[in-house]
Amino acid sequence: MLSRRRFLSHASAGAAGLYAATMVRTRFREQLAFAREMGIAPEEAINLANNENSLGPGDAVMDAIDSVIGPEGVIAGRYPFRFVGPLQEAIAEKWGVKPENVLIGAGSTQILVDCTHQYASREKALVGSLPTYEECFGYAALMGYRTKAVPLTADFRMDLDQTLHAVKGSGMLFYCNPNNPVATLVDPAEGKDFLNRALAVNGDLRILIDEAYIDYVTTPGHETMIPMAVRNPRLIVARTFSKAYGMAGLRVGYAIAHEDTVAELGEFHMGNSVSIPGLVAANAALERDKSDPDYLPNEKRRNDEARSFILKFFRDRGLDATDAQTNFIFTDVGMPVEQFQAACAQEGVRVGRPFPPLWTRCRISIGTMDEMQRAATAFAAVLDNAQKMAA
């Protein structure tokens, strides 16, 4: 079985790959094995490997879930048909669009696969950064589609000029902004102009804009591309409830696009892929947005404080990190990532996997402040020991 860290190299070469569900199951088994190896309960391990929200979805969402699963469990015997429409309407209301502009999926993962299937092919390449989130590249590799991976700039940002060259004659651009795993953001002053130029150089190009981490951006002037996507049928914005909303385990995401594009994506989209608890939870989260408009700003502020703390820890040790705009950082650790990963595991902390070709850069998710302070103690032990060994 291929590990997820090998996906990008396989995708770049156009080789066959594994599908995302296999990777998720593998990571879950790895987490349980890690906890058993360390002699601790899975929940006691500090998991900073998967960009999850340690706080979960909050009481209002959990109460909503309880209301539909309850002790009798009657709802478990029903299909989720009647819960889809209300969530579609709630998302449309949040963004000031029509329900026909919304497509709900099992996390944004399903949206990414839908788009890759529909707009990339053996003739029309998928274009993306190297590295970037691998879902689209992984599916393209599985299907034997052409791929073009564009290396990042020296400061770990998307190379817009080279990407413009790559999209000529291609079928789809995966535009992950902020970018996973490097955590950087396209300059807000350049974003819309770049998207318009990319559309202009290739009249058949579709652009999938992944905004999974947009709720954590602190750069002034950055904004969602949803209004642009609703007007232009060649743009799709993917969103998720997995990050700031703390619902990674419930698997709810969505696309917002022109209604014709949503209908087009529906040709491949597998319906009823989101469970009743997931649909109800997402709806409850959007209701909370209206009654508690400070919820997401407070989550951004909490993340920024913990993120700033751990960035300072590494920079104080002379280890450079990128300008993180996400709920994770991407930092030099001064050693091969696999070595750092293994040493951190011995200290009870899980960190991100390698992302070729950046072999000494590690992605570290942001947990609570307490988790980051405890993790910093573990990181200090690992780095100090490596320094002693090198002396």
Coordinates of all heavy atoms in Angstrom, one line a residue, residues 40-113:
I40 N -0.3 4.7 25.7 CA -1.3 5.7 26.1 C -2.6 5.5 25.4 O -2.6 4.9 24.3 CB -0.7 7.1 25.9 CG1 -0.3 7.3 24.4 CG2 0.5 7.4 26.8 CD1 0.2 8.7 24.1
A41 N -3.6 6.1 25.9 CA -4.9 6.1 25.2 C -4.8 7.0 24.0 O -4.1 8.0 24.0 CB -6.0 6.6 26.1
P42 N -5.5 6.6 22.9 CA -5.4 7.5 21.7 C -5.7 8.9 21.9 O -5.1 9.8 21.3 CB -6.5 6.8 20.8 CG -6.6 5.4 21.2 CD -6.4 5.5 22.7
E43 N -6.7 9.2 22.8 CA -7.0 10.6 23.0 C -5.9 11.4 23.8 O -5.9 12.6 23.9 CB -8.3 10.8 23.8 CG -8.4 10.1 25.1 CD -8.8 8.7 25.1 OE1 -8.7 8.1 24.0 OE2 -9.1 8.1 26.2
E44 N -5.0 10.7 24.4 CA -3.9 11.3 25.2 C -2.7 11.7 24.3 O -1.9 12.5 24.7 CB -3.4 10.4 26.3 CG -4.5 10.2 27.4 CD -4.0 9.2 28.5 OE1 -2.8 8.8 28.4 OE2 -4.8 8.9 29.4
A45 N -2.6 11.1 23.1 CA -1.5 11.5 22.2 C -1.8 12.9 21.7 O -3.0 13.2 21.4 CB -1.5 10.5 21.1
I46 N -0.8 13.7 21.6 CA -1.0 15.0 21.0 C -0.9 14.9 19.5 O 0.2 14.6 19.0 CB 0.1 16.0 21.5 CG1 0.0 16.1 23.1 CG2 -0.2 17.4 20.9 CD1 1.0 17.0 23.7
N47 N -2.0 14.9 18.8 CA -2.0 14.7 17.4 C -2.0 16.0 16.6 O -3.0 16.7 16.6 CB -3.3 13.9 17.0 CG -3.3 13.5 15.5 OD1 -2.3 13.9 14.8 ND2 -4.3 12.8 15.1
L48 N -0.8 16.3 16.1 CA -0.6 17.6 15.3 C -0.2 17.2 13.9 O 0.5 17.9 13.3 CB 0.5 18.4 16.0 CG 0.3 18.8 17.5 CD1 1.5 19.6 18.0 CD2 -1.0 19.5 17.7
A49 N -0.8 16.1 13.4 CA -0.5 15.6 12.1 C -1.5 15.8 11.0 O -1.2 15.8 9.8 CB -0.2 14.1 12.2
N50 N -2.8 16.1 11.4 CA -3.9 16.0 10.4 C -4.7 17.3 10.2 O -5.8 17.2 9.6 CB -4.8 14.8 10.8 CG -4.1 13.5 10.9 OD1 -4.2 12.8 11.9 ND2 -3.3 13.2 9.9
N51 N -4.2 18.4 10.8 CA -4.9 19.7 10.6 C -6.4 19.6 11.1 O -7.3 20.2 10.5 CB -4.9 20.1 9.1 CG -3.5 20.3 8.6 OD1 -2.6 20.4 9.4 ND2 -3.4 20.4 7.3
E52 N -6.6 18.9 12.2 CA -7.9 18.9 12.8 C -8.1 20.0 13.8 O -7.1 20.7 14.2 CB -8.1 17.5 13.5 CG -8.0 16.4 12.5 CD -7.6 15.1 13.2 OE1 -6.8 15.2 14.2 OE2 -7.9 14.0 12.7
N53 N -9.3 20.2 14.3 CA -9.6 21.2 15.3 C -9.7 20.5 16.6 O -10.7 19.7 16.8 CB -10.8 22.0 14.9 CG -11.1 23.2 15.9 OD1 -10.7 23.1 17.0 ND2 -11.7 24.2 15.4
S54 N -8.8 20.7 17.5 CA -8.8 19.9 18.8 C -10.1 20.2 19.6 O -10.4 19.4 20.5 CB -7.6 20.3 19.6 OG -6.4 19.9 18.9
L55 N -10.7 21.3 19.4 CA -11.9 21.7 20.2 C -13.2 21.1 19.8 O -14.2 21.1 20.5 CB -12.0 23.2 20.2 CG -10.9 24.0 20.9 CD1 -11.1 25.5 20.8 CD2 -10.7 23.6 22.3
G56 N -13.2 20.5 18.6 CA -14.4 19.9 18.1 C -15.4 21.0 17.7 O -15.1 22.2 17.6
P57 N -16.7 20.6 17.4 CA -17.7 21.5 16.9 C -18.4 22.4 17.8 O -19.1 23.3 17.4 CB -18.6 20.5 16.2 CG -18.6 19.3 17.0 CD -17.2 19.2 17.5
G58 N -18.3 22.1 19.2 CA -19.0 22.9 20.1 C -20.3 22.4 20.6 O -20.9 21.4 19.9
D59 N -20.8 22.9 21.7 CA -22.0 22.3 22.3 C -23.3 22.4 21.4 O -24.1 21.4 21.4 CB -22.3 23.0 23.6 CG -21.2 22.7 24.7 OD1 -20.5 21.7 24.5 OD2 -21.1 23.5 25.7
A60 N -23.5 23.5 20.8 CA -24.7 23.7 19.9 C -24.7 22.6 18.9 O -25.8 22.0 18.6 CB -24.7 25.0 19.3
V61 N -23.6 22.3 18.3 CA -23.6 21.3 17.2 C -23.8 19.9 17.8 O -24.5 19.0 17.3 CB -22.3 21.3 16.4 CG1 -22.1 20.2 15.5 CG2 -22.2 22.7 15.7
M62 N -23.1 19.6 19.0 CA -23.3 18.3 19.6 C -24.7 18.1 20.0 O -25.3 17.0 20.0 CB -22.3 18.2 20.8 CG -20.9 18.2 20.4 SD -20.4 16.9 19.1 CE -20.8 15.4 20.0
D63 N -25.4 19.1 20.5 CA -26.8 19.0 20.9 C -27.7 18.7 19.7 O -28.6 17.9 19.8 CB -27.3 20.3 21.5 CG -26.7 20.6 22.9 OD1 -26.1 19.6 23.5 OD2 -26.8 21.7 23.4
A64 N -27.3 19.3 18.6 CA -28.1 19.0 17.3 C -27.9 17.5 16.9 O -28.9 16.9 16.5 CB -27.7 19.9 16.2
I65 N -26.7 17.0 17.0 CA -26.5 15.6 16.7 C -27.2 14.7 17.6 O -27.9 13.7 17.2 CB -24.9 15.3 16.8 CG1 -24.2 16.1 15.7 CG2 -24.7 13.8 16.6 CD1 -22.7 16.0 15.8
D66 N -27.2 15.0 18.9 CA -27.9 14.2 19.9 C -29.4 14.2 19.6 O -30.1 13.2 19.8 CB -27.7 14.8 21.3 CG -26.3 14.5 21.9 OD1 -25.6 13.6 21.3 OD2 -25.9 15.2 22.8
S67 N -29.9 15.3 19.1 CA -31.4 15.4 18.8 C -31.8 14.4 17.7 O -33.0 14.1 17.6 CB -31.8 16.8 18.4 OG -31.3 17.2 17.1
V68 N -30.9 14.0 16.8 CA -31.3 13.1 15.7 C -30.9 11.7 15.9 O -31.5 10.8 15.3 CB -30.8 13.7 14.3 CG1 -31.5 14.9 14.0 CG2 -29.3 13.8 14.3
I69 N -29.9 11.5 16.7 CA -29.5 10.1 16.9 C -30.1 9.5 18.2 O -30.6 8.4 18.2 CB -27.9 9.9 16.9 CG1 -27.2 10.7 18.0 CG2 -27.4 10.2 15.5 CD1 -25.8 10.5 18.0
G70 N -30.1 10.3 19.3 CA -30.8 10.0 20.5 C -30.6 8.6 21.0 O -30.0 7.7 20.3
P71 N -31.2 8.2 22.1 CA -31.0 6.9 22.7 C -31.8 5.8 21.9 O -31.5 4.7 21.9 CB -31.6 7.0 24.1 CG -32.5 8.2 24.1 CD -31.8 9.2 23.1
E72 N -32.9 6.3 21.2 CA -33.7 5.3 20.5 C -33.2 5.0 19.1 O -33.4 3.9 18.5 CB -35.2 5.8 20.3 CG -35.8 6.0 21.7 CD -37.3 6.5 21.5 OE1 -37.7 6.7 20.4 OE2 -37.9 6.8 22.6
G73 N -32.4 5.9 18.5 CA -31.7 5.6 17.3 C -32.7 5.4 16.1 O -32.3 4.8 15.1
V74 N -33.9 5.9 16.2 CA -34.9 5.7 15.1 C -34.4 6.3 13.7 O -34.5 5.7 12.7 CB -36.2 6.2 15.4 CG1 -37.2 6.1 14.3 CG2 -36.8 5.5 16.7
I75 N -33.8 7.4 13.8 CA -33.3 8.1 12.6 C -32.3 7.3 11.8 O -32.1 7.5 10.6 CB -32.8 9.5 13.0 CG1 -32.9 10.4 11.8 CG2 -31.4 9.5 13.5 CD1 -34.3 10.8 11.4
A76 N -31.6 6.4 12.5 CA -30.5 5.7 11.8 C -31.1 4.7 10.8 O -30.4 4.3 9.9 CB -29.7 4.9 12.8
G77 N -32.4 4.5 10.8 CA -33.0 3.6 9.9 C -33.6 4.3 8.6 O -34.2 3.7 7.8
R78 N -33.3 5.6 8.6 CA -33.8 6.5 7.5 C -32.7 7.0 6.6 O -31.6 7.3 7.1 CB -34.6 7.6 8.0 CG -35.8 7.2 8.9 CD -36.8 6.4 8.2 NE -37.9 6.0 9.2 CZ -38.9 5.1 8.9 NH1 -38.9 4.6 7.7 NH2 -39.8 4.8 9.8
Y79 N -33.0 7.2 5.3 CA -32.0 7.9 4.5 C -32.0 9.4 4.7 O -33.0 10.0 5.3 CB -32.4 7.6 3.0 CG -32.0 6.2 2.5 CD1 -33.0 5.3 2.3 CD2 -30.7 5.9 2.4 CE1 -32.7 4.0 1.9 CE2 -30.3 4.6 2.0 CZ -31.3 3.7 1.7 OH -31.0 2.4 1.3
P80 N -31.0 10.1 4.3 CA -30.9 11.5 4.7 C -31.5 12.5 3.8 O -31.3 13.7 3.9 CB -29.3 11.8 4.7 CG -28.8 10.8 3.6 CD -29.7 9.6 3.7
F81 N -32.4 12.0 2.9 CA -33.0 12.9 1.9 C -33.5 14.2 2.4 O -33.2 15.3 1.9 CB -34.2 12.2 1.2 CG -33.9 10.9 0.6 CD1 -34.6 9.7 0.9 CD2 -32.8 10.7 -0.3 CE1 -34.3 8.5 0.3 CE2 -32.5 9.5 -0.9 CZ -33.3 8.4 -0.5
R82 N -34.3 14.2 3.4 CA -35.0 15.4 3.9 C -34.1 16.4 4.6 O -34.5 17.5 4.9 CB -36.2 15.1 4.8 CG -35.9 14.4 6.1 CD -37.2 14.0 6.8 NE -36.9 13.3 8.1 CZ -36.9 14.0 9.3 NH1 -37.1 15.3 9.3 NH2 -36.7 13.3 10.4
F83 N -32.9 16.0 4.9 CA -31.9 16.9 5.6 C -31.0 17.6 4.6 O -30.3 18.6 5.0 CB -31.1 16.1 6.6 CG -31.9 15.5 7.7 CD1 -32.4 14.2 7.6 CD2 -32.1 16.2 8.8 CE1 -33.2 13.7 8.6 CE2 -32.9 15.7 9.9 CZ -33.4 14.4 9.8
V84 N -31.0 17.2 3.4 CA -30.0 17.8 2.4 C -30.5 19.2 2.0 O -29.7 20.2 2.0 CB -29.9 17.0 1.1 CG1 -29.0 17.6 0.1 CG2 -29.3 15.6 1.5
G85 N -31.8 19.3 1.7 CA -32.3 20.6 1.2 C -32.1 21.7 2.3 O -31.7 22.8 1.9
P86 N -32.5 21.5 3.5 CA -32.3 22.6 4.5 C -30.8 23.0 4.7 O -30.6 24.2 4.8 CB -32.8 21.9 5.8 CG -33.8 20.9 5.4 CD -33.3 20.4 4.1
L87 N -29.9 22.1 4.6 CA -28.5 22.5 4.6 C -28.1 23.3 3.4 O -27.4 24.3 3.4 CB -27.5 21.3 4.8 CG -26.0 21.7 4.8 CD1 -25.7 22.7 5.9 CD2 -25.2 20.4 5.0
Q88 N -28.6 22.9 2.2 CA -28.3 23.6 1.0 C -28.8 25.0 1.1 O -28.1 26.0 0.7 CB -29.0 22.8 -0.2 CG -28.4 23.0 -1.5 CD -28.9 22.0 -2.5 OE1 -29.9 21.3 -2.3 NE2 -28.3 22.0 -3.7
E89 N -30.0 25.2 1.6 CA -30.6 26.5 1.8 C -29.9 27.3 2.8 O -29.7 28.6 2.6 CB -32.1 26.3 2.2 CG -33.0 25.8 1.1 CD -34.3 25.4 1.6 OE1 -34.6 25.7 2.7 OE2 -35.1 24.8 0.8
A90 N -29.4 26.7 3.8 CA -28.6 27.5 4.9 C -27.3 28.0 4.3 O -26.9 29.1 4.6 CB -28.4 26.6 6.1
I91 N -26.6 27.1 3.5 CA -25.4 27.6 2.9 C -25.6 28.7 1.9 O -24.9 29.7 1.9 CB -24.7 26.4 2.2 CG1 -24.2 25.3 3.2 CG2 -23.5 26.8 1.4 CD1 -23.8 24.0 2.6
A92 N -26.7 28.5 1.1 CA -27.0 29.6 0.2 C -27.3 30.9 0.9 O -26.9 32.0 0.4 CB -28.2 29.1 -0.7
E93 N -28.1 30.8 2.0 CA -28.4 32.0 2.7 C -27.1 32.7 3.3 O -27.0 33.9 3.2 CB -29.3 31.7 3.9 CG -29.7 32.9 4.7 CD -30.5 32.6 5.9 OE1 -30.9 31.4 6.1 OE2 -30.8 33.4 6.8
K94 N -26.2 31.9 3.8 CA -24.9 32.4 4.4 C -24.2 33.2 3.3 O -23.6 34.3 3.6 CB -24.1 31.3 4.9 CG -22.7 31.7 5.4 CD -21.9 30.6 5.9 CE -20.5 31.0 6.3 NZ -20.5 31.9 7.5
W95 N -24.1 32.8 2.1 CA -23.3 33.4 1.1 C -24.1 34.3 0.1 O -23.5 34.8 -0.9 CB -22.5 32.3 0.3 CG -21.6 31.6 1.2 CD1 -21.6 30.3 1.6 CD2 -20.4 32.2 1.8 NE1 -20.6 30.1 2.4 CE2 -19.8 31.2 2.6 CE3 -19.8 33.5 1.8 CZ2 -18.6 31.4 3.3 CZ3 -18.7 33.7 2.5 CH2 -18.1 32.7 3.3
G96 N -25.4 34.4 0.3 CA -26.2 35.2 -0.6 C -26.3 34.7 -2.0 O -26.3 35.5 -2.9
V97 N -26.4 33.4 -2.1 CA -26.6 32.8 -3.4 C -27.9 31.9 -3.4 O -28.6 31.9 -2.5 CB -25.3 31.9 -3.7 CG1 -24.1 32.7 -3.7 CG2 -25.2 30.7 -2.8
K98 N -28.1 31.2 -4.5 CA -29.3 30.4 -4.6 C -28.9 28.9 -4.3 O -27.7 28.5 -4.4 CB -29.8 30.4 -6.1 CG -30.3 31.8 -6.5 CD -30.8 31.7 -8.0 CE -29.7 31.4 -9.0 NZ -30.1 31.5 -10.4
P99 N -29.9 28.2 -3.8 CA -29.6 26.8 -3.5 C -29.0 26.0 -4.7 O -28.2 25.1 -4.5 CB -30.9 26.2 -3.1 CG -31.7 27.4 -2.5 CD -31.2 28.5 -3.4
E100 N -29.4 26.5 -5.9 CA -28.8 25.8 -7.1 C -27.4 26.1 -7.3 O -26.7 25.4 -8.1 CB -29.6 26.3 -8.3 CG -31.1 25.9 -8.4 CD -32.0 26.7 -7.5 OE1 -31.5 27.8 -7.0 OE2 -33.2 26.3 -7.3
N101 N -26.8 27.0 -6.5 CA -25.4 27.3 -6.6 C -24.5 26.4 -5.7 O -23.3 26.5 -5.6 CB -25.1 28.7 -6.3 CG -25.7 29.7 -7.3 OD1 -26.5 30.6 -6.9 ND2 -25.3 29.6 -8.5
V102 N -25.2 25.5 -4.9 CA -24.6 24.8 -3.8 C -24.6 23.3 -4.1 O -25.7 22.7 -4.5 CB -25.3 25.1 -2.5 CG1 -24.6 24.2 -1.4 CG2 -25.2 26.5 -2.2
L103 N -23.5 22.6 -3.9 CA -23.4 21.2 -4.0 C -22.7 20.6 -2.8 O -21.6 21.0 -2.4 CB -22.6 20.7 -5.3 CG -22.4 19.2 -5.5 CD1 -23.8 18.6 -5.9 CD2 -21.4 19.0 -6.6
I104 N -23.4 19.8 -2.0 CA -23.0 19.3 -0.8 C -22.3 17.9 -1.0 O -22.7 17.1 -1.7 CB -24.1 19.1 0.2 CG1 -24.8 20.4 0.5 CG2 -23.7 18.4 1.5 CD1 -26.1 20.3 1.3
G105 N -21.1 17.8 -0.3 CA -20.4 16.5 -0.4 C -19.8 16.0 0.9 O -19.9 16.7 1.9
A106 N -19.2 14.8 0.8 CA -18.6 14.2 2.0 C -17.2 14.9 2.2 O -16.2 14.4 1.7 CB -18.5 12.7 1.8
G107 N -17.2 16.0 3.0 CA -16.0 16.8 3.1 C -15.8 17.5 1.7 O -16.4 17.2 0.7
S108 N -14.8 18.4 1.7 CA -14.5 19.0 0.4 C -13.8 17.9 -0.5 O -13.6 18.1 -1.7 CB -13.6 20.2 0.6 OG -12.5 19.9 1.3
T109 N -13.3 16.8 0.1 CA -12.7 15.7 -0.6 C -13.6 15.3 -1.8 O -13.1 15.2 -2.9 CB -12.5 14.5 0.3 OG1 -11.5 14.9 1.3 CG2 -12.0 13.3 -0.5
Q110 N -14.9 15.1 -1.6 CA -15.7 14.7 -2.6 C -15.8 15.7 -3.7 O -15.9 15.4 -4.9 CB -17.1 14.3 -2.1 CG -18.0 13.7 -3.2 CD -19.4 13.3 -2.6 OE1 -19.7 13.6 -1.5 NE2 -20.1 12.6 -3.5
I111 N -15.8 17.0 -3.4 CA -15.9 18.0 -4.4 C -14.6 18.0 -5.2 O -14.7 18.2 -6.5 CB -16.1 19.4 -3.7 CG1 -17.3 19.4 -2.8 CG2 -16.1 20.5 -4.7 CD1 -18.6 19.1 -3.5
L112 N -13.5 17.9 -4.6 CA -12.2 17.8 -5.3 C -12.2 16.7 -6.3 O -11.7 16.8 -7.5 CB -11.0 17.8 -4.4 CG -10.5 19.1 -3.8 CD1 -11.5 20.0 -3.2 CD2 -9.3 18.8 -2.9
V113 N -12.7 15.5 -5.9 CA -12.7 14.4 -6.8 C -13.7 14.6 -7.9 O -13.4 14.3 -9.1 CB -13.0 13.1 -6.0 CG1 -13.3 11.9 -6.9 CG2 -11.9 12.7 -5.1

